[in-house]
Structure formats: structure tokens, C-alpha cells
């Protein structure tokens, strides 16, 4: 808008005579598009504007130029005139404020999108020059930092502002669903005038958020075992902030544990999870605390309408189902295959003689066990049954989940009784609610008579035997396949020592309660050469029973002396017999020599000059028998004869009587030796038989090997 009081003065001249009508001039404006905005003084030609000039009212194509036609004419007759164009340039000033095309704008944008155009605002400025009609835009308001606006020129005085989401940013429906912004349009007006418009940006919800599980619905629950509960036991709840979410609960995994240890998939069918999150007992009767005490259901939520670009599943959650124990299991005994043996001389009151072990798969008081003795019977060897009371008691102890009942002796047992104590033990649990359950077992406690006590003598002192007792027991157990019960280890008294320095008393008991005798033990040891070698290495020298060792220890040496005396008598008898035989043989030789002499004197009174062959009836030359055809007469040898007729009968038999003294002596020695050897064998057998007659319980290892 321009306010010009005087634009210019029009000047003209006329060559007619001055001061005449022909030379007096008059000014006027010819009608034109903008002539009404001006006036001209007709006499002076002063051109004036009628009011402020508005550049914006001028045709923009004229670029602010107004062309006026001024006419000057004289007053002569006829009147003469001349027209002239007067151009007026109206300068533009920044006198217009930008104007928005709308007072408010409404835009929509999807969440999670970035770098997208939200909307466009438009404004214009009426100023004609570019410097005055340039428009710049700005944004303000809550959340304006999430957006940016870019201005662009549409034409002279016209511009638009594009509202964008930055490439590295986005809006979240769940955080802020509506933005109320203010857009401004301004130019370089020194007065700071600006135009404003409201911009409402609505965030369009996108199903971009994964669902979540409600932690409260995942609190652990308890379910009793063995059909105690049915139906729904829990409900898993899921949430999704998206407006169009369609959720379902999915069962991902089932974990079965017992005492913290994974037990596989045995509980997989116990529970089921519906899509709406309801948790049901699926197999009530199958739920077993003893097999699994904790079931973990791993679940998640799924949103069927989630945008494919985003996660549709929640994080996994765990629903812990604790299985409560019900007293549905009776105690049971753990079979140890032990043989319980009572050796009266070893057991004393308050000493444990047997034990039982039991378990109960229930927990807490339902699985606690108390032992008691219901009945005690003694079965003698003849089959008679004798009830006993008060002889035994049982003490309960526990380690981990195993309960032990220690059977102790209350009073001394009658050592004269031989048989088996049958002890009936009851194991009973102690439930907090409901009836108790129990189990029973009968133990056989075998008694072993003292007559089965065997003494083993060693060549080493008792300290060394004690140090090697485990090796000794192992070797004996290997040979006998029995349980070895060692009673004591002592030194042998110095007065009774022979080869042994110490002894070990023990019992050898089979699993059925029977025990080995000394002879059976000796036989078994001799059969197992490895065990025998081991025992000999450990110093074993004599096997014997305690009874025989104690009763016959002194008699052993007396018996040996008696045996030596008997042997000496046998030797003397044999020597006497040998002398008698030698005497008889000598007499026979004398008779034979005399007979030979008489024979040489006969045979026609002439004796052959050749020598005779000793021991025969042959002469070297005649080869005749001088004893043939001789009359029977007394040769005068009566003083050499004995009372036996056998000597006389053998007189004429030189086959049985030899004059070879050396050969005869050897035969006599051989015959007397043969007589000594059977006697010695007989004595040896008798002495060995004597040891066996002592009960077969005292054997020298020398005879055993």
C-alpha cells in the first residue's frame, strides 16, 4: 500500500500568443483502469493520488506499473489538445500477512512407520514481490519433536509445508495416540506478524506389540496325587495393548522332575491347556507324587492378528504345579540278603544282633517309618516252637530317606538253646491325616553252638595276626564260602608252645545258619591250594577246636611220648626177632658143614681130590651127590638142633640152607628190614588214627599237607 500526495507535475506550452485563449492550457486525465485513483489540477497539471495505492490491487502482470493518459488542450477555437502517457511505478512493501488455506488440518499416520509424509499445509502471501511474499513454516506443540516440516514454493506468494516423520523416528500408538500441533507461516515482516493453523495428527494403531503373560496368573499351584482333584485348576491370562489383538494360549513344553531331577515325559499327559488359558487335569488317576513331584507347564501367548513384520508371540512363561503327596504307599523293606547269626559268647545286652531297612515313597509324615517287634519265636533243632517276649527291642534311625531298625539284645540268651530265633518286625508310617499303612518282615537269627568254635594257631605273635586278620579272614572265606566271625586273638602260653606263638578263635557260618566243624574246615582248606598257600604265608601252622586245644593241650605231648615208647618197644622186639633168626640160621650152617664133612669121608672110603661146590650136592669131578643112598643114622649133631622140627626137616635140604655166609647175612638183613618197615607203618597209622580218634578236631598241618 502506497500513499503518494504528489506524484508529478505535467508541463506543456503553446506557441500561440501568450495570455490569450489560444495559449491558455487546461489539463485533464483521460479515463483508464486506475485513473480513478488519481486527480490532476486542470490549470497547473499537478497529478495527485486519491488515496493510498495498493500494489496488490494492480494486475500482477503490470508488475506495479500504472499508466495514466494526461490531455492538455488550449482554450482557443477550435481547441487544440495533446495526450501524453504518464507511467507510475507502485513499489511493493511487506504489508500482507501469510494466510493458510485452512484454519485447521487433520492428518493420520500409522505407528511404527518412519520417514513417511504425514500431511501438507498451504499458505499464501498477497505481497507482489518475492522478497515480501516468501513464507516459512514452523511446528510447535506437544510431541512436535516427533515431526518435521519442509516448505516449498508453489508460485508467487504461495507455499506449502509438508509434515514428515523423520527417517530415524516413529510414533507409537500405545505411547501417544494423538498429537495436537500448531503450524506457523511467517515472512520477513519486521513487526513479526505470522499466521497459525491447528494440525491434529492421529496415530493409527498397528498390531505391532507382542502379547504378554500376566505374572499373577502364573503363580504356582498345588495338585494332590492319585485322582484327588479334577477339572480346571488354573487359568493363564495374556494381555495385548494392540486394539485388534486376538490372543490364544499355547502349551510349549512340559517338564517333569522328581527331587530336582528330570524324569522324562511321564507327566506330559497329566494336564492340558486350552486356547483361552484354562488349565485342566487331564489324567487325574495318573498323577503320582512318587514318580514326579513337580510339573512345569511352559506356555506362551500368540496374537493371530499381529502385523507380519512384528513378533506375534509373547515370552515363555512357566506355571509350576506342585504335586502334593497322599499317603497312598505302604512302607517296604529293603532286602539286604544278610544272614544274622547269634553267637552266645559274643553277644551281650544292648548289643545289636540284626537290622532291617525300609523306605516309604510318601513324603513328610506320610513317609516317616516307626519299627516295632510284633513277635519272637524260637525254633529249636527238633522243630519245637517256643514264644519269647522281652528278649529283643528295636531302635529306629533314619539317614536320608532310608529308615533303619536296629534289633538289640535286652538280656542274655540261653546258650544251651540250639535253633533259630524268628523275629517279626513291623514298619508303620505316621500320616498326619488318615489311617497308617504298614509292612512286616520276619528275620531268622541263627544261633551257633560253641562246639563249632575253631582255633587256628599261627607261628607269628598276636600283634602280627591282628594286623593281618582281614587277609586271614578273606583267605578263609575264599576257601569255605562262609562268613568268618573272629572271637579273639591271643598268644599261646609259653609252657605250651611248640611251633605256634598265637592263636585265633573263630566261627565259620553259612548263610543258612549252619557252621563248619574242624574236619570240614580242614578239608575245604586243603582243597583250595591258593587259600592254603595264603594262610601258610600268613603263619598258619595248626587247625584245632578250642575244646580240644584246651582239654588236650597237655595230653598231646604225653601222647607223643607214649607213641615214641611204643615205637621203641617195637624196635626192641624186632631186634630180638632178628637175633633169634640169626641164631637159627647159624645153627643150620653148622649142621650143613658137618654133613658135608661126613659126606667126604664116605664114598668107598676114598674122598675125591676135587673140591666140593659149597651149597650143593655136586663135586667138581664126579658130579655126584654123596648124600644119596646114605643110611639114616645119627650124625651126632643133636647138640646143634633146636626144639623145632623144621630145623631137622631142613637138614637134608641144601636148597634152604646156604653155606654162603655173606649172602645169607644179606638175606637175613633184608628179612629183618621187611619186618621193621611194616611195624613202622603200623605204628604210624596207629598214631595218626589216634589223633583222629580225639574227635577229628585237632589236626596238625603237617598231616594235612
Amino acid at each position: 500500500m502506497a500513499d503518494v500526495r504528489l506524484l508529478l507535475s505535467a508541463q506543456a506550452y503553446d506557441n500561440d500568443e501568450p495570455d490569450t485563449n489560444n495559449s491558455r492550457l487546461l489539463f485533464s486525465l483521460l479515463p483508464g483502469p486506475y485513473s480513478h485513483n488519481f486527480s490532476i489540477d486542470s490549470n497547473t497539471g499537478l497529478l495527485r493520488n486519491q488515496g493510498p495505492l495498493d500494489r496488490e490491487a494492480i494486475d500482477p502482470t503490470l508488475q506495479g506499473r500504472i499508466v495514466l493518459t494526461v490531455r492538455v488542450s488550449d482554450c482557443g477555437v477550435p481547441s487544440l489538445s495533446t495526450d501524453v502517457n504518464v507511467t507510475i511505478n507502485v513499489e511493493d512493501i511487506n504489508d500482507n500477512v501469510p494466510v493458510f488455506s485452512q484454519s485447521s488440518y487433520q492428518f493420520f499416520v500409522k505407528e511404527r512407520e518412519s520417514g513417511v509424509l504425514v500431511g501438507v499445509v498451504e499458505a499464501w502471501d498477497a505481497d507482489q514481490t518475492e522478497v515480501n511474499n516468501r513464507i516459512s513454516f514452523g511446528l510447535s506443540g506437544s510431541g512436535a519433536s516427533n515431526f518435521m516440516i519442509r516448505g516449498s514454493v508453489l508460485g508467487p506468494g504461495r507455499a506449502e509445508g509438508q509434515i514428515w516423520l523423520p527417517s530415524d523416528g516413529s510414533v507409537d500408538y500405545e505411547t501417544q495416540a494423538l498429537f495436537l500441533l500448531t503450524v506457523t507461516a511467517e515472512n520477513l515482516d519486521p513487526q513479526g506478524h505470522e499466521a497459525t493453523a491447528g494440525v491434529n495428527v492421529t496415530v493409527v494403531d498397528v498390531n505391532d506389540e507382542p502379547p504378554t503373560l500376566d505374572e499373577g496368573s502364573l503363580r504356582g499351584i498345588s495338585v494332590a496325587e492319585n485322582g484327588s482333584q479334577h477339572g480346571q485348576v488354573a487359568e493363564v491370562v495374556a494381555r495385548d495393548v494392540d486394539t485388534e489383538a486376538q490372543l490364544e494360549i499355547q502349551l510349549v513344553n512340559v517338564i517333569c522332575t522328581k527331587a530336582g531331577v528330570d524324569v522324562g515325559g511321564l507327566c506330559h499327559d497329566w494336564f492340558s491347556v486350552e486356547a483361552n488359558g484354562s488349565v485342566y487335569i487331564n489324567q487325574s488317576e495318573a498323577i503320582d507324587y512318587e514318580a514326579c513331584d513337580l510339573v512345569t507347564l511352559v506356555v506362551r501367548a500368540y496374537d493371530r492378528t499381529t502385523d507380519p513384520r512384528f513378533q506375534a508371540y509373547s515370552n515363555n512363561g512357566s506355571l509350576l504345579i506342585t504335586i502334593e503327596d497322599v499317603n497312598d504307599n505302604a512302607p517296604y523293606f529293603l532286602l539286604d540278603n544278610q544272614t544274622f547269626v547269634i553267637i552266645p559268647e559274643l553277644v551281650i545286652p544292648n548289643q545289636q544282633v540284626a537290622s532291617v531297612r525300609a523306605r516309604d515313597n510318601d513324603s513328610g509324615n506320610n513317609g516317616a517309618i516307626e519299627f516295632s517287634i510284633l513277635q519272637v519265636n524260637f525254633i529249636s533243632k527238633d522243630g519245637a516252637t517256643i514264644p519269647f517276649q522281652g528278649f529283643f527291642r528295636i531302635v529306629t534311625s533314619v539317614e536320608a530317606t532310608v529308615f533303619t531298625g536296629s534289633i538289640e539284645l535286652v538280656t542274655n540268651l540261653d546258650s544251651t538253646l540250639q535253633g533259630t530265633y524268628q523275629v517279626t518286625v513291623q514298619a508303620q508310617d505316621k500320616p498326619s491325616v488318615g489311617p497308617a499303612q504298614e509292612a512286616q518282615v520276619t528275620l531268622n537269627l541263627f544261633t551257633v553252638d560253641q562246639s563249632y568254635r575253631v582255633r587256628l594257631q599261627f607261628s607269628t605273635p598276636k600283634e602280627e595276626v591282628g594286623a593281618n586278620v582281614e587277609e586271614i579272614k578273606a583267605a578263609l572265606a575264599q576257601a569255605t564260602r562262609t562268613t568268618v566271625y573272629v572271637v579273639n586273638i591271643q598268644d599261646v602260653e609259653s609252657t605250651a608252645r611248640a611251633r605256634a606263638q598265637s592263636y585265633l578263635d573263630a566261627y565259620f557260618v553259612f548263610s543258612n545258619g549252619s557252621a563248619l566243624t574242624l574236619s570240614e574246615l580242614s578239608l575245604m582248606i586243603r582243597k583250595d591250594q591258593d587259600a592254603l598257600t595264603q594262610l601258610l604265608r600268613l603263619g598258619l601252622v595248626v587247625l584245632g577246636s578250642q575244646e580240644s586245644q584246651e582239654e588236650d593241650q597237655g595230653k598231646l605231648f604225653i601222647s607223643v611220648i607214649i607213641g615214641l615208647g611204643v615205637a621203641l618197644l617195637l624196635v626192641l622186639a624186632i631186634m630180638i626177632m632178628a637175633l633169634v633168626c640169626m641164631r637159627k640160621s647159624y645153627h643150620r650152617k653148622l649142621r650143613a658143614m658137618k654133613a658135608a664133612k661126613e659126606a667126604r669121608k664116605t664114598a668107598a672110603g676114598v674122598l675125591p681130590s676135587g673140591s666140593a661146590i659149597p651149597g650143593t650136592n655136586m663135586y667138581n669131578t664126579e658130579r655126584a651127590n654123596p648124600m644119596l643112598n646114605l643110611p639114616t643114622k645119627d650124625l651126632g649133631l643133636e647138640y646143634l638142633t633146636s626144639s623145632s622140627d623144621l630145623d631137622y626137616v631142613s637138614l637134608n635140604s641144601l636148597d634152604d640152607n646156604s653155606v654162603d655166609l655173606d649172602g645169607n647175612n644179606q638175606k637175613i638183613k633184608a628179612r629183618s628190614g621187611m619186618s621193621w618197615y611194616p611195624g613202622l607203618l603200623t605204628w604210624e597209622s596207629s598214631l595218626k588214627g589216634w589223633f583222629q580218634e580225639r574227635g577229628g578236631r585237632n589236626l596238625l598241618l603237617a598231616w594235612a599237607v
Side-chain angles (χ1 to χ4, degrees), residues 12 71 116 193 196 210 242 255 257 270 282 380 472 488 525 605 613 658-659 661 672 681 702:
R71 176 172 288 181
V116 296
H193 293 159
T196 61
D242 295 322
I255 302 174
T257 56
W270 291 0
N282 194 39
S380 63
I472 294 171
N488 64 353
I525 291 178
I613 299 174
S658 174
V659 295
L661 295 179
S672 64
L681 292 179

Side-chain angles (χ1 to χ4, degrees), residues 672-691:
S672 64
M674 290 299 293
S675 175
W676 160 260
Y677 183 70
L680 184 60
L681 292 179
T682 304
W683 171 79
E684 177 184 336
S685 176
S686 300
L687 185 60
K688 193 171 182 180
W690 179 82
F691 278 110

Side-chain angles (χ1 to χ4, degrees), residues 100-118:
F100 283 100
S101 60
Q102 297 177 210
S103 60
S104 64
Y105 296 88
Q106 181 73 34
F107 300 128
F108 297 89
V109 63
K110 291 183 178 181
E111 66 172 331
R112 292 295 185 100
E113 291 186 344
S114 59
V116 296
L117 179 65
V118 177

Side-chain angles (χ1 to χ4, degrees), residues 595 598-600 602-603 625-633 635 652:
E598 290 296 331
R600 286 195 296 269
T602 57
N625 188 348
M627 300 299 294
L628 295 178
N629 301 319
L630 288 180
T632 302
K633 63 179 180 178
L635 297 179
N652 293 323

Side-chain angles (χ1 to χ4, degrees), residues 237-250:
V237 177
R239 306 185 187 281
D240 196 321
V241 295
D242 295 322
T243 56
E244 301 296 330
Q246 296 182 14
L247 304 180
E248 66 179 37
I249 304 299
Q250 297 179 344

